[in-house]
Amino acid sequence: PQATLIFDEFSVETTESAAVTSVLAQTNVNYDTYADAIQASIAGGSGSKVNNTFGPTANIEWQGTSSLTTAGVITVLANNTLERVPDPNDAKISKNNVYESYNTVRGGSGGVVEGSGASAVTQYDGTAKINMGMESTDTAQIISNSESPSNVSVLATQQIKSQDFVTQDVGGVV
């Protein structure tokens, strides 16, 4: 997903000291992946693999003669949030019969001659940025006429709430 706001040649002014002015570019990615490969035979093997790649962007470009002036609070935020939200039906990992988390990948085999493999990879390559005045002729500005210096926030953030769990069990004669 991509969220991009471009402000070029605009002006906004508020005079109310209680006013809150917010500019927000945000992406939220909720995902779940699950692979399960369990087999039993005289001779055989199984494997399961999950690859996740995410590259969301949240960008704000403040350029030209754009200005934002207020007597109140100003917040400019570019934010990406990535979160794994497991399906409750995915196989759970338990310890002492207490379920602690959900598997991303489960692999296993059993029999006489067996082999098994399992892997999970999650790659995140997102960007969150705020560009103020990209050209030398730009006079873009954010102005707070408030007496409180904490009334202006300019933030670019990335939030990742993700865990991959792999369970591997193999049993057999060889």
Side-chain angles (χ1 to χ4, degrees):
Q2 180 175 349
T4 300
L5 299 175
I6 300 174
F7 297 97
D8 193 4
E9 313 302 329
F10 90 103
S11 179
V12 174
E13 183 170 352
T14 62
T15 56
E16 294 294 321
S17 61
V20 175
T21 305
S22 298
V23 176
L24 173 65
Q26 179 167 320
T27 65
N28 293 311
V29 178
N30 293 333
Y31 78 98
D32 184 33
T33 55
Y34 177 63
D36 194 340
I38 304 244
Q39 72 92 5
S41 64
I42 298 294
S46 69
S48 54
K49 179 178 182 180
V50 168
N51 286 324
N52 300 302
T53 303
F54 303 98
T57 60
N59 300 323
I60 298 174
E61 296 183 13
W62 213 275
Q63 57 195 24
T65 59
S66 299
S67 68
L68 174 59
T69 304
T70 184
V73 176
I74 299 172
T75 301
V76 179
L77 174 64
N79 179 64
N80 287 319
T81 301
L82 173 70
E83 181 173 8
R84 179 171 181 234
V85 181
D87 182 327
N89 295 318
D90 291 349
K92 297 178 182 178
I93 299 170
S94 67
K95 183 176 183 180
N96 300 324
N97 295 322
V98 176
Y99 292 116
E100 297 178 344
S101 60
Y102 291 89
N103 275 307
T104 304
V105 175
R106 188 171 73 160
S109 63
V112 179
V113 178
E114 297 300 322
S116 179
S119 74
V121 175
T122 299
Q123 180 178 342
Y124 182 82
D125 189 21
T127 59
K129 63 183 174 181
I130 300 171
N131 294 321
M132 297 288 294
M134 300 294 291
E135 304 295 328
S136 62
T137 57
D138 287 347
T139 58
Q141 54 188 345
I142 297 174
I143 302 167
S144 174
N145 290 328
S146 170
E147 294 179 10
S148 174
S150 63
N151 279 352
V152 177
S153 298
V154 178
L155 302 167
T157 62
Q158 307 261 15
Q159 298 178 40
I160 301 172
K161 305 170 188 173
S162 178
Q163 295 177 326
D164 287 338
F165 294 97
V166 176
T167 302
Q168 177 71 42
D169 293 314
V170 177
V173 176
V174 179

